[in-house]
Amino acid sequence: GSMVFNRVPGQVLNDSMRVKAHVDEVQQGLSPLPAAYQGEGVLLGIIDTGIELNHPDFQDSLGRTRVLRYWDQKYAYDPVLTPAGFGYGQAWDSTAINAGQCPAVDDPGQWGHGSTVAATAAANANGNGHCAGVAPQAELIIVANDLYHPNWGASVVDAVRYIVEQAALLDRPVAINLSLGSY
C-alpha cells in the first residue's frame, strides 16, 4: 500500500460525527446495548501534532494525567528517552508527565489540531463540564508526529507500532486514531 499526503481546508465534522456514530446512545447504554460505554479500561492512541497535557480534559479529577505514554517524534535522539527500537524522538510515561518532566507541547504551528482530535476522542469534560468526547474514561497514548520527517510514511508506521507495543506492555485493548491527510 501507499500513503498520500496533501493539505485541504478543514471541515466541521464533530457534531455530525456524534450523531452518525450514535455516541450519545452508546454513552447512555440505550437498547440494544447491555450497558453504557465510555471507554473504561480502553487505551486510545492518537497520532497527531501532540496534546496540551495541562488541559483539565486530559486529567483525572485529582489533576493527574490520563496520558500514559507520550512520544514526541520531533525531539532529537536521547539514549535514555528515545523509545527502544526507534532511534529518534523522546518519550515519557505518566509518572514523568505528572512530575512536569515532559516538555512536549501540541505544535503551535498546527493550531491545536492534536488537542482537538484527542478531545473529540477522549475529553472527560473536566474543562467546562459539558464537552465530553467519545470515550471520556479512556486513557491515552499520544504520538506527536513530525509532518516534516524525511520519511514521513515510515514515521507514521513507527507511531502505530509504538502504540501497539505500549498497549501490549500495559495489557490493554487499544484503538488508534490517525487524523492525518485529507478528507
Side-chain angles (χ1 to χ4, degrees):
S2 65
M3 286 193 240
V4 176
F5 180 78
N6 60 32
R7 295 188 185 274
V8 176
Q11 299 176 26
V12 177
L13 297 174
N14 275 3
D15 291 342
S16 62
M17 173 278 302
R18 288 190 70 86
V19 171
K20 291 176 184 174
H22 302 278
V23 172
D24 295 333
E25 294 92 314
V26 170
Q27 289 179 344
Q28 295 168 26
L30 299 181
S31 182
L33 297 175
Y37 296 99
Q38 297 197 14
E40 303 88 339
V42 174
L43 295 171
L44 286 177
I46 309 287
I47 303 168
D48 212 290
T49 61
I51 192 172
E52 175 53 54
L53 288 167
N54 294 323
H55 194 288
D57 279 344
F58 307 126
Q59 298 175 340
D60 66 17
S61 61
L62 300 176
R64 296 175 302 213
T65 189
R66 294 170 54 219
V67 177
L68 301 187
R69 302 287 186 274
Y70 191 119
W71 178 27
D72 193 319
Q73 294 180 327
K74 295 179 290 297
Y75 277 80
Y77 173 82
D78 180 276
V80 175
L81 295 176
T82 296
F86 293 99
Y88 65 103
Q90 296 179 20
W92 299 268
D93 63 12
S94 58
T95 301
I97 294 167
N98 284 324
Q101 297 169 350
C102 178
V105 297
D106 194 351
D107 182 352
Q110 297 298 320
W111 310 281
H113 191 274
S115 296
T116 300
V117 167
T120 299
N124 61 9
N126 281 356
N128 64 15
H130 65 272
C131 290
V134 173
Q137 293 186 26
E139 292 180 294
L140 301 161
I141 298 176
I142 302 296
V143 178
N145 182 249
D146 182 359
L147 293 173
Y148 304 102
H149 188 280
N151 190 343
W152 179 74
S155 76
V156 173
V157 172
D158 285 348
V160 171
R161 190 177 103 207
Y162 174 80
I163 291 169
V164 170
E165 288 175 358
Q166 294 303 310
L169 288 171
L170 294 164
D171 194 28
R172 302 267 294 277
V174 65
I176 300 175
N177 183 86
L178 298 101
S179 292
L180 304 170
S182 69
Y183 301 100

